Amino acid sequence: MWAGYGGRLVGLGLVLVGVVGVVSAAEGREKSQDIVHLSPRVREVPPSEAAPTIERQTLAPFLNEYRLIDSRARLKDMPYVVAGEEGHQLIGSGDRFYVRAVKEAARSRNARRVIYRPGTVYHDPESDALLGIELRAVGEARWVRREGDLDVFEVLKARQAINPGDRLLPYREERLSLAFSLHVPDHAVDGEILGVPEGVHYIGRHTIVALDVGRTNGITPGTVLALDAAPAQVTDPVEGDTVSLAAQPGGLAMVFESFERVSYALVLEASRPLEVGDGVSTPERSVLTSLEPR
């Protein structure tokens, strides 16, 4: 486990605070002792030697704001926003709105829901099969009353305008741990980076990425994977044909949430710029040594 190292990250180094202690060495007689007094010392460890840490603020917002579903049928079955009161199409904090639930749902004045907007749809890069649909939270609401075939909700919090078609889901029941037991897969993994949920183009250290491998591939939270920059394509100066150069090591990522066929991972190390489509593979087991606290 790598939680609670007992160190603090200061500047570019990990500051380790020594413990004041007294060492006594007996010389064979009870009253004759050599006493050595140790003073506290501060030692800065270079970034290359310091074990990386995962700060709660890096992952916690993501875990609360994103969900992933694996089929369009599940999306269709979710309760969805029809319109605001008086037919308003833009709904904000404090507004009330109408919801249609395809299936009967539990209703009470204490019932609260997270409002999600369907976003990126991930497909298998080779077969184009659906891997998952990403949902991003846009607000929170509470149930107010039932009116005919519709439910009335009130917006408690809105991160952005809520629109017709947004979905409602209960809060996550499971508590997701932010402490992980790092491990390398005991089998070969062959995948790639599907996308970046936050929508950025540059992938570097501490970027969150979506991968096209999941539980069906034996990928679980804490799995460490190698990231490989896609092989460059060059033109042979004599033959004129296109030649693919070997893929180059690009860094390491740790999976913190896995679904059936998609995983979310945090980039721990990036030795070169990475992008969507770059490879994911099984690293050497020795990489764990550099990631574990000393």
Side-chain angles (χ1 to χ4, degrees), residues 55-253:
E55 300 178 359
R56 292 184 67 88
Q57 59 266 33
T58 303
L59 294 180
F62 183 89
L63 296 176
N64 291 327
E65 293 183 11
Y66 284 84
R67 308 262 297 255
L68 191 113
I69 56 174
D70 57 10
S71 71
R72 296 187 185 279
R74 284 191 60 195
L75 183 66
K76 187 176 181 180
D77 286 343
M78 292 179 184
Y80 60 90
V81 178
V82 175
E85 288 187 320
E86 300 180 359
H88 293 163
Q89 300 296 293
L90 295 178
I91 305 160
S93 184
D95 292 343
R96 293 189 174 185
F97 60 96
Y98 294 96
V99 171
R100 170 162 286 162
V102 177
K103 294 182 178 180
E104 189 68 22
R107 299 177 176 96
S108 71
R109 293 193 66 86
N110 294 324
R112 296 192 176 195
R113 296 291 182 266
V114 182
I115 308 167
Y116 287 96
R117 180 163 300 156
T120 305
V121 179
Y122 294 121
H123 291 91
D124 185 286
E126 296 183 359
S127 68
D128 202 39
L130 177 66
L131 297 180
I133 302 170
E134 197 169 75
L135 306 177
R136 182 169 188 178
V138 294
E140 300 171 20
R142 70 176 183 91
W143 184 86
V144 177
R145 64 179 182 272
R146 179 78 171 170
E147 284 190 8
D149 294 333
L150 302 176
D151 290 291
V152 178
F153 279 80
E154 179 182 356
V155 180
L156 298 175
K157 183 188 301 182
R159 295 181 176 88
Q160 55 186 283
I162 295 161
N163 302 330
D166 289 343
R167 267 54 175 188
L168 279 75
L169 285 174
Y171 287 87
R172 287 180 183 242
E173 294 181 0
E174 73 277 14
R175 294 183 61 85
L176 294 170
S177 173
L178 294 185
F180 303 92
S181 178
L182 303 187
H183 57 278
V184 169
D186 57 5
H187 58 281
V189 173
D190 182 15
E192 66 180 58
I193 299 175
L194 283 176
V196 184
E198 297 296 339
V200 300
H201 298 288
Y202 171 80
I203 300 175
R205 185 170 181 263
H206 282 181
T207 302
I208 290 173
V209 293
L211 311 177
D212 68 343
V213 290
R215 294 172 187 162
T216 56
N217 309 100
I219 305 301
T220 57
T223 301
V224 176
L225 297 169
L227 302 177
D228 307 307
Q233 307 288 320
V234 298
T235 301
D236 186 302
V238 176
E239 299 295 336
D241 58 345
T242 300
V243 179
S244 294
L245 304 182
Q248 297 297 313
L252 294 172

Side-chain angles (χ1 to χ4, degrees), residues 49-52 182 184 284-294:
E49 296 181 16
L182 303 187
V184 169
E284 296 292 332
R285 192 168 300 275
S286 59
V287 302
L288 296 180
T289 304
S290 66
L291 296 178
E292 291 175 351
R294 292 170 174 79

